[in-house]
């Protein structure tokens, strides 16, 4: 079961976020576009559409993986990760191509976080600073890593958090889909347990979340109330950016 909401927020005049849910493929994508003259909207729309097209074209691969079809061409986890990576690279090339055609769109790009639930695994591809969280047995964990200046500085360990807080552009993203023809994509596979839930969120939502566990109560809300309440939360705290949330509930938990 899944629920999705997107909102322009309190400050922006148009929504540059795009998202996709395909129930049949169990594919979920959030993209947060950037670029002047509404180019961000174009970038995120192209990226989401391209990823969807590429994965839909290989739907049999996912079905064979889930059914555990054996034989010479047995589909492995690696095959599905490569499919996701390929889909994101195609999206990157398409956005980049579009930007070259139109000077007003030069340099446009988008974050992209995608999740495929196939059998007992979750397959993730991620670029930028949208996020995927996992809610399991009452605990929330962020499972993607933000590609931001702030995070790069923390990883290098040369500055204290206090010093980094003072850095200008600390929230600037260090990787985006479409700015160049190719992009480095983070991919991961995680075991999915019955009762697990995922949240895919643009930074217009997670920018207002101090600790992942703050999100726990929202996963427990009934149906579409979960994403609606998350949008309301971000708007109540300022809504300075577009807000997108997809909540995905997997299988049945004991207390369902």
């Amino acid at each position: 079961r899944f629920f999705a909401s997107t909102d322009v927020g309190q400050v922006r005049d148009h929504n540059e976020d795009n998202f996709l849910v395909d129930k049949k493929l169990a594919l979920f994508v959030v993209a947060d576009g950037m670029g002047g003259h509404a180019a961000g909207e174009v970038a995120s729309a192209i990226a989401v559409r391209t990823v969807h097209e590429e994965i839909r074209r290989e739907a049999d691969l996912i079905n064979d993986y889930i059914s555990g079809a054996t034989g010479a061409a047995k589909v492995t986890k690696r095959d599905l990760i490569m499919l996701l990576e390929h889909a994101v690279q195609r999206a990157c090339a398409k956005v980049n191509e579009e930007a070259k055609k139109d000077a007003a769109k030069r340099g446009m790009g988008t974050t992209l976080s995608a999740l495929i639930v196939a059998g007992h695994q979750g397959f993730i591809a991620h670029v930028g600073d949208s996020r995927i969280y996992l809610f399991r047995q009452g605990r929330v964990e962020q499972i993607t890593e933000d590609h931001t200046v702030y995070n790069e500085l923390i990883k290098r360990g040369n500055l204290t958090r206090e010093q980094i807080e003072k850095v200008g552009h600390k929230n600037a993203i260090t990787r985006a889909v479409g700015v160049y023809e190719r992009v480095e994509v983070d991919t991961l596979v995680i075991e999915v347990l019955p009762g697990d839930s995922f949240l895919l969120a643009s930074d217009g939502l997670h920018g207002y979340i101090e600790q992942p566990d703050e999100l726990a109560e929202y996963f427990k809300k009934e149906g579409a109330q979960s994403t609606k309440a998350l949008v309301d939360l971000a708007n109540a705290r300022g809504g300075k950016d577009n807000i997108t949330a997809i909540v995905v509930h997997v299988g049945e938990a004991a207390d369902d």
Side-chain angles (χ1 to χ4, degrees):
R1 293 173 306 140
F2 57 85
F3 307 94
S5 299
T6 189
D7 190 80
V8 71
Q10 305 287 339
V11 178
R12 301 286 175 91
D13 56 4
H14 56 275
N15 195 342
E16 298 197 333
D17 287 1
N18 265 287
F19 73 89
L20 168 101
V21 290
D22 184 324
K23 188 178 180 180
K24 218 165 164 189
L25 292 171
L27 167 68
F28 309 91
V29 186
V30 165
D32 175 1
M34 53 179 210
H37 307 288
E41 224 169 297
V42 177
S44 60
I46 292 171
V48 163
R49 186 172 66 241
T50 306
V51 166
H52 191 208
E53 283 165 2
E54 294 294 328
I55 288 173
R56 198 167 47 195
R57 189 178 296 140
E58 299 290 346
D60 290 351
L61 203 66
I62 299 172
N63 293 333
D64 287 352
Y65 177 80
I66 294 169
S67 66
T70 50
K74 185 169 174 8
V75 180
T76 64
K77 289 179 190 174
R78 182 167 165 71
D79 294 328
L80 290 200
I81 277 296
M82 302 248 316
L83 167 61
L84 254 180
E85 160 114 25
H86 165 77
V88 176
Q89 295 296 3
R90 285 292 304 139
C92 193
K94 284 244 174 105
V95 173
N96 188 262
E97 222 170 274
E98 190 64 31
K100 284 177 177 162
K101 288 185 206 160
D102 181 350
K105 297 192 180 78
R106 196 81 24 94
M108 71 176 175
T110 181
T111 71
L112 193 138
S113 298
L115 164 71
I116 296 175
V117 180
H120 298 294
Q121 271 87 34
F123 294 84
I124 288 166
H126 167 71
V127 177
D129 70 345
S130 293
R131 285 182 186 173
I132 301 180
Y133 294 93
L134 168 67
F135 177 65
R136 173 176 290 169
Q137 295 166 346
R139 294 301 310 262
V140 183
E141 183 190 350
Q142 180 185 335
I143 50 177
T144 52
E145 187 178 289
D146 298 349
H147 301 138
T148 57
V149 170
Y150 181 85
N151 235 13
E152 291 293 328
L153 292 172
I154 283 200
K155 273 161 68 181
R156 284 184 206 161
N158 298 342
L159 300 174
T160 65
R161 279 180 188 268
E162 288 68 37
Q163 287 169 319
I164 294 171
E165 285 299 339
K166 296 186 182 113
V167 171
H169 306 300
K170 66 177 184 289
N171 295 323
I173 60 175
T174 51
R175 289 187 218 171
V177 170
V179 175
Y180 303 105
E181 282 171 37
R182 290 186 66 77
V183 68
E184 192 185 338
V185 184
D186 284 359
T187 54
L188 67 151
V189 185
I190 64 165
E191 293 297 314
V192 176
L193 304 178
D196 280 356
S197 298
F198 294 92
L199 167 65
L200 289 77
S202 65
D203 69 335
L205 168 58
H206 73 67
Y208 291 108
I209 304 300
E210 289 288 318
Q211 295 298 328
D213 279 336
E214 283 179 54
L215 293 163
E217 61 183 286
Y218 295 92
F219 282 102
K220 297 171 188 165
K221 290 188 184 293
E222 279 304 302
Q225 282 307 310
S226 54
T227 53
K228 191 182 170 315
L230 286 164
V231 167
D232 290 347
L233 169 78
N235 273 324
R237 292 186 177 177
K240 67 180 191 299
D241 200 350
N242 309 141
I243 307 154
T244 301
I246 305 174
V247 171
V248 184
H249 300 292
V250 182
E252 296 301 314
D255 59 9
D256 248 16

